Each structure stands twice: as C-alpha cells, then as structure tokens.
Amino acid sequence: MDDLIKLVRTYRLTAGLAERQRLAEAIFRQIEPDLRFFVFNAIQPPAAEDVLQEILKSTAASLKNFRGDTVPAFRSWFYTIARNRLNDHFRKKANDRLQPMPNDEILDLVDASEQAEPMTAADRHDLEYALKLLDGSKPECRDYLWNHYVIGFDYGEIAEEQNLNYDNVRMKIGRCLETAKSLVA
C-alpha cells in the first residue's frame, strides 16, 4: 500500500495530462474494489454503479488537492468523498418522493372533498391548529404521518426510504400519532 501514497505524490507533482491519467488509473485500480464494496453495501445495484462512478469522478477531480502523506489519511479522504456522494444520492432520492403538502392546500382539499357534511369553521380551525402545532414541534412527525396515512406508504416503504428498519418506523409513527393527539388535546 505504500506504493499508493507514492502514486498520489507523483500524481500531484506531474504536469503532463497523459502521465496524470496513467497515474490516476493506477490509483483507482487500488481503491476501486474497496469503494465498490462500500457503495454496493449501501445501495442496491442498479443505482450503485452510477453512484460509484460519481465517487470516482469526484475523487479524480480533487485528487490533486489531497495533502496527506499516509495511506490511512488517503483512505479517510476518499471515504469522505464516498460518504458525501452517498448522502447526495439519498437526499436526491428523498426529494424525488412525494413531499407533504402545505397546510393551506390540505385545508382546501378537505373543503373540496365529498364529505357527508361540509367542514365547519371550528373543525377547519382545529385541523389548521393541529397541523401548525405538529409542524412547529415535530416536523419529522408530520412527514411520517403524511407518508403513511395520506400517501399510503406502508412501514416497509418508509423504512427503506429513511434507511431505518421496519420496527423503528412502526414505533416512530405510533409515537408521532401520540404526539399529534397530545398537541391537539
């Protein structure tokens, strides 16, 4: 592994593009198996290959900026890049999902729904108040309850989206319901 640091040092000092590309390929041949293992343990294979390529591209773009001089420092550096790209992937995936509606849109939908009786002003006020309380005290609860009760995701789908296990999501949703009830009471 000492030759890895020699390759990185040589890369930083080399001016020629062809030589830098050769050195980068040699560096990536050594780190790619570790990165592949890291990424494929975090993400399912269809997306994992894309994320791995993003990690390698980011690493190549900033390789000349690495200033450490030990293998552990280099490993820590490229794993930091990998974690950041994985976090970017998870954020993008979460943003691609349906997001909770603003409170005023929810109230408009409730008003427009085909209820047996129209919502009274007092009921509308209570619903608006409950949503504001939940937003103010525990916004993540609003998201969990929204995803489960309005969008219709089951515990397993929410667990996958949030990188939690099934029982954690079940308990969070139960606690969020209790929080909502206590806030309104």
Side-chain angles (χ1 to χ4, degrees):
M1 273 293 198
D2 287 334
D3 59 326
L4 179 60
I5 291 301
K6 289 177 187 173
L7 286 170
V8 172
R9 285 182 187 145
T10 306
Y11 180 89
R12 287 191 315 225
L13 299 172
T14 302
L17 181 61
E19 182 62 18
R20 284 184 105 162
Q21 185 173 3
R22 185 190 65 73
L23 290 167
E25 288 173 1
I27 292 167
F28 290 146
R29 274 194 297 277
Q30 290 190 35
I31 68 171
E32 193 264 343
D34 292 337
L35 286 173
R36 179 173 292 280
F37 182 76
F38 182 74
V39 171
F40 277 73
N41 277 327
I43 304 174
Q44 296 300 318
E49 194 63 46
D50 293 338
V51 172
L52 178 62
Q53 293 308 312
E54 286 297 317
I55 291 168
L56 293 174
K57 186 168 71 173
S58 296
T59 303
S62 57
L63 191 56
K64 64 181 176 252
N65 299 329
F66 173 71
R67 296 292 174 233
D69 58 354
T70 64
V71 172
F74 184 68
R75 293 178 70 74
S76 174
W77 177 79
F78 72 74
Y79 275 122
T80 299
I81 292 172
R83 278 189 296 280
N84 289 338
R85 291 301 148 263
L86 281 171
N87 288 337
D88 290 347
H89 169 77
F90 290 129
R91 273 192 296 275
K92 182 183 181 305
K93 184 177 174 184
N95 287 338
D96 288 346
R97 292 285 206 161
L98 294 174
Q99 298 297 312
M101 288 178 151
N103 291 345
D104 56 331
E105 289 182 33
I106 292 173
L107 295 170
D108 292 341
L109 285 175
V110 169
D111 284 341
S113 68
E114 296 179 17
Q115 297 178 351
E117 301 175 25
M119 182 181 271
T120 66
D123 288 343
R124 182 180 176 88
H125 177 74
D126 288 346
L127 178 59
E128 191 173 79
Y129 179 67
L131 290 171
K132 283 181 183 175
L133 286 175
L134 202 52
D135 277 341
S137 67
K138 293 222 174 180
E140 71 277 2
C141 277
R142 183 178 190 271
D143 294 344
Y144 281 111
L145 295 174
W146 179 268
N147 286 339
H148 185 64
Y149 290 104
V150 177
I151 296 176
F153 291 156
D154 64 21
Y155 296 140
E157 291 171 319
I158 296 171
E160 182 180 325
E161 178 181 298
Q162 298 294 325
N163 290 328
L164 298 170
N165 69 37
Y166 181 91
D167 288 329
N168 284 351
V169 170
R170 186 178 55 79
M171 294 300 292
K172 282 181 184 284
I173 290 175
R175 287 185 193 119
C176 287
L177 275 175
E178 292 302 317
T179 300
K181 288 176 187 176
S182 69
L183 287 172
V184 174

